[in-house]
Amino acid sequence: MPDKLGRDLDPAAIRAWCALALDALGREREEIDAINVYPVADGDTGTNLYLTVEAAGQAVEAVFTAHAAGGTTPGPADVVRALAHGALIGARGNSGTILAQLLRGMAGVLARGCDALHLVEALDTASAAARQAVAHPVEGTILSVAAAAARAAGDVGPARAAGDVGPAPAAGPSLEAVARAAYEGARAALEETPAQLAVLARAGVVDAGGRGLVTVLGALLEAVSGEAPARTRRRRTTDAPRQTTAAPAPAPGEPCAVDGPAYEVIYLLEADDDAVARLRARLDALGDSLVVVGGDGLWNVHVHVDDAGAAVEAGIEAGRPHRIRVAHFAGDAAKAAAGPAEPVQRAVVAVVPGEGLAELCARAGATTVLARPGEAPGSGELVDAIRRAHAREVVLLPNATELRHTAAAAAQQARTEGVRVALIPTRAAVQGIAALAVHEPGRRFDEDVVAMTAAAGATRYGEVALAEHQSFTSAGVCQAGDVLGLIDGDVAVIGQDLARTARDVLDRMLSGGGELVTLVLAADAPPSLAAGLEAHVRARHLAVDTCVHHGGRLHAPLLIGVE
């Protein structure tokens, strides 16, 4: 990423913001989940925010893909509207729904202009829109953090007048200055949330939704400045009167919101404004934590109620609800207190990079998710695969480093649906193959997971790929068309010949020992490559066996595993 992405929040910067926010929420998801005590201590705020931003990012990527197919570049308005729509469609939970409204409020202003002063106005509009969407706003929550961010940004530069689409004044604040002020204002407000909300003070934590918003605003600052903001140091309880960045999750036997409603109901709703106004009044009488966001005929409805059926019926009377999700808080707490149920069926879900590997893993009994080159699956696809497996216990193999956060979010979502999920952090397809080879459904779940994890961890992974452009690598400067040999994700060899580079990589990987070499060939790899490498291993490494698989269309001609 360049040091600066320009004075305006251009399409590239908005795209970067989405990617950076998703990555940051992925890193911090578990910490945010752990401090989730309001409005219900169900430990899923970080996961819900991640899923919401993931949906927003996917919508943005779809716009770029569509324009690339036509040889054009999307404009800022196209990108921010996609961002808002994606977040609205994919919003999860109380905080995720509010974040979707914040993004929608920002998009309405940024569609008119993306300079610093429009960003000031966007933050102010977003804060007001989010507060209006919540039936009974409470201080010490994400709403307070959003308001503080808007105020801090306003102190840097006044907001644009509504409808003003002209350029920013030459002496106006920089985009980075506004983004930094908003981030710092949000951080300061987050620290004050325990003093505003008693439940936070008792738990010794800050508001989880506000913490997530600080992460999203930190990603915005990084997108426009090129520098990641320093994370707040995790305090111990001995450092300060209260712990403000993380805390242990509620005890497993402790029920969530014992005095609150039993169900969380969420759905998308197609309805006009008048019908939604009536719906708000009816749902407000049925329960609490009511948030209705959206507009222009499409809304996302979130409410906590004791009568889930009545909440859905109210939506049917108002318009056309779909994507209805109902979570039973008391049921989730009881399941957590009772511990995992005895397995009825166990399954493995594996992400694979090619059709050939999908067939191989399917023959071994796994449910597969195909990751085509340049198209990583989202958490929704992984959750769908877990559901398709129809198992009480699932072992999830992401088989790619970049999917670690996505897989973790999918596993957490599946757990809320009653599935016991173990995520093995496999970083490459060959590690997944090794794990699947030792999978035994008949033994105890924990023993099976340990054995599969050990097999994956004992497998070094490599690949031989073609450089697409000139770049600096750990092995030196490569040129477009060079053959790159990677070991455990780092470039170790730069060559000109595919077979010779593959042999060099194999020798380096086997220098530390090994018993089995797994070769996965892409459909476009030379037909003689596998035979030549097998002969090389037999001649140079006498005690090593070789196994060859045909992977189909892969991102690289050759994948290598050494066990």
Side-chain angles (χ1 to χ4, degrees):
M1 182 184 301
D3 290 339
K4 302 288 182 182
L5 289 175
R7 182 173 177 79
D8 286 357
L9 194 60
D10 59 21
I14 297 166
R15 188 185 199 182
W17 177 25
C18 289
L20 291 167
L22 188 63
D23 186 61
L25 285 170
R27 292 193 305 269
E28 300 177 23
R29 180 186 61 80
E30 291 184 351
E31 287 185 25
I32 297 172
D33 282 346
I35 62 172
N36 173 200
V37 298
Y38 181 85
V40 177
D42 49 354
D44 63 359
T45 292
T47 299
N48 287 334
L49 289 170
Y50 179 91
L51 295 172
T52 302
V53 173
E54 181 186 50
Q58 288 172 342
V60 168
E61 289 302 318
V63 169
F64 274 89
T65 299
H67 277 267
T72 60
T73 302
D78 297 325
V79 178
V80 294
R81 286 170 182 150
L83 169 74
H85 184 72
L88 176 66
I89 295 296
R92 301 293 185 96
N94 190 72
S95 293
T97 306
I98 294 173
L99 177 62
Q101 186 73 346
L102 288 167
L103 294 175
R104 179 181 173 84
M106 292 183 69
V109 176
L110 296 177
R112 295 190 276 106
C114 291
D115 57 35
L117 295 184
H118 277 103
L119 179 58
V120 172
E121 182 189 347
L123 290 165
D124 186 63
T125 300
S127 174
R131 190 168 289 268
Q132 185 176 12
V134 178
H136 301 285
V138 174
E139 297 305 323
T141 65
I142 186 174
L143 297 176
S144 303
V145 175
R151 287 194 300 271
D155 289 341
V156 175
R160 302 295 296 265
D164 184 356
V165 296
S174 70
L175 190 65
E176 179 180 344
V178 172
R180 189 175 301 280
Y183 172 69
E184 295 296 345
R187 282 184 60 184
L190 180 66
E191 296 296 322
E192 296 304 315
T193 54
Q196 297 172 293
L197 197 55
V199 65
L200 301 179
R202 287 195 298 270
V205 298
V206 295
D207 179 64
R211 166 73 182 275
L213 179 58
V214 169
T215 299
V216 172
L217 292 175
L220 175 61
L221 175 57
E222 183 176 356
V224 300
S225 71
E227 299 176 0
R231 290 187 60 194
T232 303
R233 182 174 67 90
R234 181 193 292 253
R235 294 180 182 171
R236 298 179 182 272
T237 52
T238 54
D239 291 339
R242 62 178 182 267
Q243 181 182 8
T244 58
T245 56
E254 180 181 341
C256 297
V258 291
D259 296 325
Y263 297 94
E264 177 184 57
V265 178
I266 304 174
Y267 49 80
L268 289 176
L269 178 70
E270 296 179 22
D272 58 36
D273 291 1
D274 291 339
V276 169
R278 293 191 295 272
L279 175 66
R280 287 179 191 268
R282 181 168 178 184
L283 292 180
D284 192 28
L286 285 174
D288 59 28
S289 296
L290 174 61
V291 184
V292 181
V293 304
D296 301 320
L298 182 63
W299 309 82
N300 192 308
V301 179
H302 170 281
V303 67
H304 295 173
V305 294
D306 282 318
D307 189 344
V312 175
E313 288 174 6
I316 294 173
E317 292 181 6
R320 189 172 77 87
H322 48 105
R323 297 194 187 185
I324 300 169
R325 297 190 296 273
V326 178
H328 186 193
F329 295 131
D332 291 343
K335 282 185 284 189
E342 288 299 314
V344 176
Q345 179 187 356
R346 185 178 309 160
V348 176
V349 173
V351 180
V352 291
E355 299 87 345
L357 287 180
E359 293 177 8
L360 173 70
C361 293
R363 287 198 300 270
T367 299
T368 61
V369 178
L370 187 61
R372 295 179 176 82
E375 297 181 13
S379 60
E381 292 179 70
L382 300 188
V383 173
D384 287 342
I386 293 172
R387 291 169 180 153
R388 290 202 315 272
H390 297 298
R392 297 287 297 278
E393 298 174 334
V394 171
V395 180
L396 179 58
L397 305 173
N399 295 337
T401 301
E402 62 271 18
L403 287 179
R404 63 192 186 281
H405 299 322
T406 302
Q412 180 64 24
Q413 176 64 24
R415 291 181 190 119
T416 68
E417 299 177 10
V419 182
R420 187 182 184 191
V421 182
L423 171 61
I424 298 179
T426 48
R427 296 175 290 174
V430 290
Q431 289 187 325
I433 293 172
L436 192 56
V438 301
H439 168 54
E440 291 185 13
R443 62 186 165 197
R444 290 180 59 245
F445 185 64
D446 292 339
E447 293 176 356
D448 200 29
V449 171
V450 168
M452 295 176 72
T453 301
T459 302
R460 300 191 71 191
Y461 62 97
E463 66 180 65
V464 180
L466 301 179
E468 297 181 356
H469 48 74
Q470 182 188 59
S471 62
F472 293 93
T473 75
S474 53
V477 180
C478 72
Q479 305 295 329
D482 282 351
V483 181
L484 305 180
L486 292 86
I487 299 176
D488 294 336
D490 294 322
V491 177
V493 181
I494 299 176
Q496 303 299 316
D497 179 77
L498 183 66
R500 183 177 297 117
T501 302
R503 290 194 296 269
D504 288 345
V505 170
L506 274 172
D507 289 341
R508 292 190 184 211
M509 294 180 72
L510 288 167
S511 64
E515 299 176 355
L516 174 65
V517 169
T518 300
L519 303 175
V520 181
L521 277 76
D524 55 357
S528 61
L529 182 60
L533 294 177
E534 285 184 285
H536 178 77
V537 171
R538 284 196 301 270
R540 297 285 297 272
H541 308 279
L542 299 179
V544 179
D545 292 328
T546 305
C547 179
V548 177
H549 302 294
H550 295 280
R553 291 176 294 171
L554 303 175
H555 64 279
L558 176 67
L559 308 180
I560 303 172
V562 173
E563 300 178 47

